[in-house]
Amino acid sequence: MYDPNGVKEYSGPYNFYNKTIWFGYFLLMVYINMYVLIPRFLLKSRFVTYLISLIAMVVCSYAVIRIVRTTYIEPYRMLPDKIHHLGIYREILNVSNILIMLVFSSTAIKLFQEWVYNTNRINELERNSLEIELKELKNQVNPHFLFNMLNNVSVLVKKDTDKASQIIMKLSGFLRHLLYQNRREAVALVSEIQFLNDFLELEKIRRDDFSFNIDVVCENKIRMVMLPPNLFVTFVENAVKHSVDLDNPSHIDIGFEVVDQKLIFSCVNTKPEEPTALNNEGGLGLINIKRQLELLYGEAFELDINETDTQFMVKLTLLV
């Protein structure tokens, strides 16, 4: 066979030892670069130190290889001295080219691995943060709902103890529903509709001039829909609060419809001619539900809230 200089040489121990030592040398350079120099210097933005260390590693290691080859391997090589010395420069050039290619390749691979690792870590941290925030928002729904219901009970205790007793019994059922539903990732839409109906029936007991209607279109499709719990309670609570009218009857229209894999929820309530103190209170519920929708659906939802002199309208469209 022929060596890199094109000079015929004897095969045998020299050929085997020569290939083995160069293979080990290149492998060692790649390993040290990827797992020692890059983590300690390059990834810590110590670029000059990395470059100096890399050059020093290559020069020193090559010197060691030359000594080992000259001492232990060259005796097996049967070549004239002149040709042998001329081959050193060509060997250095060949080794330099291979090392440059290996260093750049291993550096690129290591940097890509670090990028993938950091990207996955950032995504996991963001996901955990969003899950924690979502749980906090869900936990805020229950106190908000309970606060409104206890206000209703406090009013009725003074006016009608029988109705107050009915509300307290209903309230225990509502809290049980909220407790168990919040633990699930998805619930049936039909159960959510039934819950809203019970809630409005309870409000009807408390208010004499109050009426509501829940319109469900395409009931067969509605029965197949599963979604996160308690998405509509806040909108209905808000409708109840803003529909309070001490002088005129109040009404709430709620609609559910599935069209082209989209669930369309609408809630329209009448408004009093002169807003009461209760109508002007807060807005925490709507702020929380907007953020909850953003966390759950990202950009895969549309929420339109409009208001006129006589009505307050909400339309929510979700992908299901």
Side-chain angles (χ1 to χ4, degrees):
M1 63 179 298
Y2 289 86
D3 69 359
N5 301 317
V7 180
K8 186 175 182 178
E9 64 181 34
Y10 293 100
S11 61
Y14 171 81
N15 190 41
F16 173 76
Y17 295 146
N18 189 52
K19 289 183 177 180
T20 302
I21 197 170
W22 281 121
F23 178 79
Y25 169 68
F26 291 133
L27 189 63
L28 182 63
M29 294 300 98
V30 169
Y31 181 86
I32 294 176
N33 181 53
M34 289 185 65
Y35 298 101
V36 179
L37 299 184
I38 292 177
R40 290 189 178 183
F41 304 121
L42 187 60
L43 296 181
K44 295 181 180 179
S45 299
R46 299 169 64 182
F47 304 113
V48 176
T49 305
Y50 168 74
L51 185 59
I52 294 174
S53 301
L54 184 63
I55 295 174
M57 176 190 71
V58 171
V59 172
C60 293
S61 60
Y62 180 74
V64 172
I65 291 295
R66 287 299 308 167
I67 295 174
V68 171
R69 292 181 71 248
T70 302
T71 305
Y72 299 102
I73 299 177
E74 289 297 333
Y76 293 98
R77 185 173 185 177
M78 308 278 300
L79 290 173
D81 290 341
K82 183 178 180 181
I83 299 178
H84 172 67
H85 289 299
L86 288 176
I88 292 177
Y89 301 105
R90 183 173 295 180
E91 180 184 87
I92 293 174
L93 181 62
N94 291 338
V95 170
S96 300
N97 291 335
I98 295 175
L99 278 177
I100 290 173
M101 181 181 66
L102 290 177
V103 166
F104 275 106
S105 300
S106 60
T107 302
I109 292 173
K110 188 63 178 178
L111 293 178
F112 177 74
Q113 290 176 344
E114 287 295 318
W115 176 79
V116 171
Y117 171 78
N118 290 332
T119 300
N120 291 336
R121 186 169 176 269
I122 291 173
N123 290 338
E124 183 177 358
L125 290 174
E126 289 180 349
R127 184 166 56 252
N128 291 338
S129 176
L130 293 179
E131 288 178 357
I132 292 172
E133 184 177 356
L134 182 58
K135 289 180 180 178
E136 291 179 352
L137 289 173
K138 285 184 175 181
N139 290 334
Q140 290 179 18
V141 172
N142 287 347
H144 188 261
F145 173 82
L146 181 61
F147 175 77
N148 287 342
M149 293 307 300
L150 289 178
N151 277 343
N152 294 343
V153 174
S154 65
V155 172
L156 283 178
V157 165
K158 300 177 182 178
K159 295 183 178 179
D160 191 329
T161 55
D162 291 335
K163 286 186 177 181
S165 178
Q166 293 179 35
I167 289 180
I168 292 173
M169 294 298 295
K170 288 271 189 182
L171 183 58
S172 64
F174 290 148
L175 294 179
R176 188 180 303 110
H177 174 88
L178 288 174
L179 176 64
Y180 289 109
Q181 296 292 67
N182 270 348
R183 292 181 177 179
R184 301 177 183 178
E185 293 185 1
V187 297
L189 177 56
V190 290
S191 66
E192 292 290 288
I193 295 175
Q194 182 61 48
F195 174 75
L196 296 178
N197 183 80
D198 293 340
F199 170 65
L200 291 173
E201 286 287 353
L202 183 56
E203 184 66 17
K204 194 173 181 179
I205 295 175
R206 190 180 73 87
R207 289 160 56 182
D208 294 330
D209 294 329
F210 172 75
S211 61
F212 71 92
N213 179 60
I214 299 180
D215 186 24
V216 179
V217 181
C218 303
E219 291 190 16
N220 292 335
K221 294 183 179 180
I222 292 292
R223 293 182 183 277
M224 303 297 293
V225 175
M226 301 290 292
L227 73 175
N230 304 321
L231 289 182
F232 311 108
V233 175
T234 301
F235 297 117
V236 176
E237 280 186 284
N238 191 69
V240 168
K241 181 178 70 174
H242 286 283
S243 67
V244 174
D245 193 337
L246 302 179
D247 301 320
N248 302 297
S250 55
H251 183 76
I252 296 176
D253 276 315
I254 296 174
F256 289 92
E257 182 179 6
V258 175
V259 179
D260 297 331
Q261 303 300 317
K262 292 183 179 181
L263 172 64
I264 302 174
F265 164 78
S266 61
C267 182
V268 181
N269 63 272
T270 57
K271 291 175 55 180
E273 295 180 2
E274 297 182 3
T276 63
L278 183 61
N279 297 137
N280 294 326
E281 283 183 3
L284 178 64
L286 287 180
I287 295 175
N288 283 346
I289 193 60
K290 287 178 182 178
R291 182 57 181 158
Q292 187 175 342
L293 288 168
E294 291 173 357
L295 294 176
L296 289 169
Y297 291 93
E299 298 181 355
F301 80 95
E302 295 180 9
L303 178 61
D304 296 320
I305 299 178
N306 298 297
E307 187 174 4
T308 67
D309 293 336
T310 59
Q311 289 183 326
F312 191 92
M313 297 159 286
V314 173
K315 183 179 179 181
L316 174 62
T317 304
L318 302 172
L319 291 175
V320 293

